[in-house]
Amino acid sequence: MATQRPHHKFWPTRLPHAMTPPATSLWENLAVNARRYPNKACIVFFGKIHTYAEVARQAERLAARLQELGVQRGDRVVLCMQNCPQWLIAHFAILRANAVVVPVNPMNRAEELKHYITDPDSKVAITTGDLAPELVKASDALPENDRLAHLIVTQFTDAFEPGAGGDSEPPAAWNEWLLTRHPLPALAGGKVMGWTDALATTAPAPELVAGPDDLAVLPYTSGTTGLPKGCMHPHSSLMHNAVAACAWGNATAENVTLLVVPMFHITGMVSVMHSSIFAGATLIMMPRWDRDLAGRLISSWRVTTWTNIPTMVIDLLGSPNFDKYDLSSLAHIGGGGAAMPQAVAQRLLEQFGLRYVEGYGLTETAAPSHSNPPDKPKQQCLGIPFMSTDARVIDPETLKEMPVGEQGEIIIRGPEVFRGYWKRPEATEAAFIDFEGQKFFRSGDLGRMDEDGYFFLTDRLKRMINASGFKVWPAEVEALMFRHPAIQEACIISAKDSYRGETVKAVVVLRPAHKGKVSEQEIIDWCRDNMAVYKMPRIVQFADALPKSGSGKVMWRSLQEAENG
C-alpha cells in the first residue's frame, strides 16, 4: 500500500492510517463485554432491556442447541427475520457454535428462499413466526435431500411485553405481525422447535474453536447475471470493519445507537451491530422504519449515534410531530445506500450542528471501504478510503489508473475485502485484478477521485437499480418473472420515483395465447406474491417485442434510454 495518498491530508489526526484488529472470533466481543458490563443494556426493544450478560447467556444456550441439532464447525445456518433481539442472539449463537451465518432478507418469498437453502447446503434455519410459513413452503418444494432438517421459530413477543413500552410502544399499525403469536408450522421431513424450547437445553455449549480465518458470515449479493452469490467473509474481515468503525466514529461504551437499518444487510450487521457490541454500547432496536417511533426513541433514550439511509432522515424531518422530538443527544449521524440531498444535509448542519457522514461499501467489502472523515465530510461524496484500505480509479478496459477527476472503475484492497464467492471460482477470479503487484477487488462502480483524494460515485458498470437504498438486480427479477405462464419475455429497467429515487419497471412481452387476457395489474400482483416487495415492478408496460442485438441479446440500454427521455 502506498505510504502517502492525497486523502491523508484530511485524515483524522487522532487515528493511524491502518489498524490491527483482535485475532479472535467475533463471539469474543460479546463474551468480553458480558463480563465487563454484565448488567448494562445491550439491547432495548420496545422498552424491554436485555443486558449483556443475558444476551450472551441466551446465545450460549442456543449454540448448545444448534450442536444438538447436528450443526458442526463450518456448517451454514440460515437466519431470516426482521430486526429484533433474537436476530442478534441467533447470529452470535451460530458463531459460538463455530458455524456460519447466512443472513437472508426477510422480504424474500418462498421462490427466492429456495436458493438460500440449497446453495449454502443449509440444514438448519432460524426465523420468526410470521416468516416461518414461507421458509417451510420453500423447503417443502425442494427435493428431499435438499430440504431443511430443523427450523427454530421465535415470536417477536418472546423479546418484549406488549403494553409495557411507554414512549417506546410500537405503532398500532404493526400489531398484526408484531403481536400475533403464530402457530408452529409442520416441516416436511424435518422438525420445528419454538424459541423458548430451543433455549431450554442444559447441554454444554460446544468448544469454541473458530478463529479469525474461519468463515463467519455468508451474505448474498446479486449481480448482472443469474442467482445471488454468497460472499465468503471470515471473522477477520468483519472484525476489522467493526473495530475500525468504532475508532472512526469515536465510539465508546456510552454510545446509545439507534439500530433501524436491517441487520441482514452488511451495513446494519457490521457498522452498527458488530461495532456496537465491540464497544459495549447500547442498541435501541427497531424491527422496521417508522418515523414517529424513531423520533420518540431518539428523544426518550437519548440516542447519540444513528446510521441510516437518507430517506429515513427526510421522512423524520417531514413528520407533523417533528417539533415534539428532542434530537439534541445526537452526536453522530451518517449512512449510505443513496446520496443525501444537499438541502437536507444543510438543514441538519444548521438546525442541529450535525454533519451527515456518508460512506460507501459493498457486501464484498463488509460495508465501508470508504467513509467521510467525521470532522471533514463532503456532501454527496463516498468519502476517502477507510482504515487499512487502498482504493484507486482505473480504466475498466486497460486497467490503468485514471488521472484525478476522471471517471473510471473503483478498485479496492484491504483486510475487509471478502475471500471470494461461494462455489463460484470463475466469478471470484473475475472479481479481482492484479494492480501494482497487489490483488484488488473490482467494485463494478464507476467513480472519480478529486484532488483531495475524496471519491465520488458517477455511474454503474453493473446493471442495478437503487430503490431507497435497496439494490435491485434486473437479471434476478427477470428470472423470477419468466416463471409466470403468460410472460414470454421481460426486461427490467429503472423509472424515476420522487420518493425512492428509482423504482422498478418491467417491459413485458406476453405469450400470444395470453394477450388481451392478462392485465398489467395482474402481473404486478403476481410479482408481489412471488418476490420481495422492494424488487417487484411497480410499473408494467406491455410491448409487442423487445429490442434485440444482432446476437439476439435484449438491448436493455435502449429501453432505459427511452424511459429516461
Side-chain angles (χ1 to χ4, degrees):
M1 189 183 295
T3 53
Q4 193 67 25
R5 301 281 295 154
H7 63 269
H8 288 151
K9 296 194 296 286
F10 304 94
W11 197 263
T13 52
R14 61 193 162 77
L15 291 178
H17 294 162
M19 64 178 309
T20 308
T24 51
S25 152
L26 291 160
W27 163 260
E28 294 289 356
N29 298 340
L30 176 61
V32 163
N33 281 326
R35 294 195 298 272
R36 283 178 174 161
Y37 311 112
N39 300 317
K40 187 175 190 295
C42 174
I43 304 166
V44 179
F45 192 61
F46 297 122
K48 172 74 182 290
I49 291 173
H50 301 258
T51 66
Y52 267 91
E54 183 59 19
V55 167
R57 187 195 71 78
Q58 289 191 32
E60 283 228 295
R61 290 299 82 224
L62 187 55
R65 177 66 77 186
L66 289 172
Q67 181 177 239
E68 287 184 310
L69 299 182
V71 174
Q72 298 178 359
R73 184 180 188 174
D75 285 353
R76 281 74 54 200
V77 178
V78 168
L79 180 53
C80 181
M81 56 178 87
Q82 295 184 60
N83 287 1
C84 57
Q86 300 95 310
W87 197 104
L88 186 150
I89 290 163
H91 179 94
F92 277 95
I94 295 164
L95 299 178
R96 178 65 184 82
N98 306 299
V100 181
V101 181
V102 181
V104 175
N105 187 334
M107 296 165 88
N108 280 323
R109 308 306 298 263
E111 199 59 52
E112 300 159 302
L113 289 169
K114 290 177 187 174
H115 181 63
Y116 299 100
I117 298 170
T118 58
D119 192 65
D121 307 305
S122 302
K123 295 301 174 192
V124 178
I126 307 174
T127 190
T128 43
D130 57 321
L131 303 176
E134 286 293 321
L135 264 169
V136 166
K137 186 178 173 185
S139 179
D140 288 359
L142 294 170
E144 194 172 328
N145 291 339
D146 292 337
R147 292 175 184 164
L148 292 170
H150 295 281
L151 183 63
I152 296 173
V153 180
T154 185
Q155 315 287 343
F156 288 106
T157 50
D158 289 336
F160 79 105
E161 294 163 22
D167 278 352
S168 304
E169 203 58 18
W174 291 3
N175 287 355
E176 186 177 342
W177 59 269
L178 191 70
L179 304 186
T180 302
R181 292 192 68 87
H182 301 266
L184 297 184
L187 182 67
K191 295 180 180 174
V192 180
M193 182 182 295
W195 180 258
T196 307
D197 290 338
L199 296 184
T201 179
T202 56
E207 181 188 355
L208 183 65
V209 290
D213 294 329
D214 281 88
L215 203 57
V217 179
L218 192 67
Y220 275 73
T221 184
S222 296
T224 49
T225 58
L227 292 162
K229 301 185 291 290
C231 296
M232 296 188 288
H233 273 292
H235 288 260
S236 59
S237 60
L238 271 62
M239 181 72 85
H240 175 275
N241 270 9
V243 178
C246 284
W248 198 252
N250 283 333
T252 71
E254 304 314 308
N255 273 32
V256 180
T257 300
L258 185 65
L259 174 47
V260 61
V261 287
M263 287 186 283
F264 74 81
H265 190 273
I266 201 78
T267 300
M269 186 197 307
V270 180
S271 297
V272 187
M273 183 192 77
H274 273 297
S275 63
S276 296
I277 295 297
F278 176 79
T282 294
L283 290 163
I284 311 298
M285 198 178 281
M286 292 175 64
R288 58 170 72 164
W289 174 248
D290 178 88
R291 65 186 181 184
D292 291 307
L293 177 60
R296 294 199 307 273
L297 292 173
I298 293 169
S299 306
S300 58
W301 292 95
R302 306 297 295 156
V303 167
T304 63
T305 307
W306 180 24
T307 297
N308 51 57
I309 56 172
T311 48
M312 292 177 179
V313 179
I314 296 164
D315 198 31
L316 177 61
L317 293 176
S319 168
N321 301 314
F322 183 72
D323 290 343
K324 299 176 185 172
Y325 305 134
D326 178 4
L327 271 57
S328 62
S329 58
L330 279 173
H332 181 87
I333 185 170
M340 168 61 81
Q342 193 161 0
V344 180
Q346 200 61 35
R347 183 178 169 191
L348 285 174
L349 182 59
E350 290 171 6
Q351 197 168 340
F352 304 104
L354 290 169
R355 295 182 181 275
Y356 191 86
V357 178
E358 291 186 51
Y360 165 80
L362 302 103
T363 307
E364 290 92 340
T365 64
S369 63
H370 294 65
S371 187
N372 274 275
D375 302 330
K376 295 187 177 71
K378 293 190 179 186
Q379 291 180 1
Q380 296 183 314
C381 171
L382 304 181
I384 62 178
F386 202 43
M387 297 182 79
S388 317
T389 304
D390 190 9
R392 308 295 180 92
V393 178
I394 63 164
D395 183 311
E397 301 295 329
T398 67
L399 308 184
K400 303 292 184 192
E401 189 161 9
M402 299 299 292
V404 167
E406 292 199 19
Q407 177 177 279
E409 184 179 3
I410 299 169
I411 59 170
I412 301 154
R413 175 176 168 265
E416 74 272 44
V417 175
F418 75 139
R419 292 268 175 84
Y421 296 111
W422 176 257
K423 294 183 182 174
R424 306 284 200 285
E426 303 85 3
T428 299
E429 190 176 345
F432 289 92
I433 59 162
D434 286 322
F435 179 82
E436 294 185 353
Q438 303 286 353
K439 189 171 156 185
F440 278 74
F441 167 64
R442 299 187 68 163
S443 72
D445 284 330
L446 294 178
R448 61 179 176 85
M449 187 185 82
D450 70 11
E451 62 280 0
D452 295 330
Y454 285 70
F455 283 64
F456 293 81
L457 194 66
T458 55
D459 205 346
R460 290 186 285 263
L461 274 178
K462 296 173 184 170
R463 187 182 160 205
M464 187 259 285
I465 298 166
N466 189 343
S468 292
F470 283 107
K471 291 183 177 179
V472 180
W473 297 94
E476 187 186 353
V477 180
E478 288 163 1
L480 288 163
M481 290 188 74
F482 282 130
R483 293 173 182 167
H484 190 294
I487 293 176
Q488 180 173 306
E489 290 185 289
C491 181
I492 296 297
I493 56 174
S494 71
K496 291 186 176 67
D497 185 283
S498 59
Y499 179 69
R500 300 172 90 212
E502 294 180 304
T503 197
V504 183
K505 176 176 177 177
V507 182
V508 171
V509 177
L510 293 175
R511 297 183 186 280
H514 292 269
K515 285 185 179 177
K517 298 176 182 174
V518 178
S519 69
E520 290 94 336
Q521 188 58 48
E522 284 171 316
I523 299 289
I524 291 170
D525 293 343
W526 183 89
C527 289
R528 183 180 287 109
D529 290 339
N530 284 275
M531 63 184 80
V533 69
Y534 72 91
K535 294 179 195 171
M536 56 160 275
R538 305 291 174 100
I539 306 163
V540 168
Q541 177 186 323
F542 288 154
D544 292 331
L546 298 179
K548 303 269 178 61
S549 68
S551 62
K553 288 185 178 177
V554 174
M555 296 168 66
W556 66 270
R557 283 185 193 280
S558 64
L559 289 171
Q560 187 65 67
E561 285 163 8
E563 177 67 25
N564 295 344

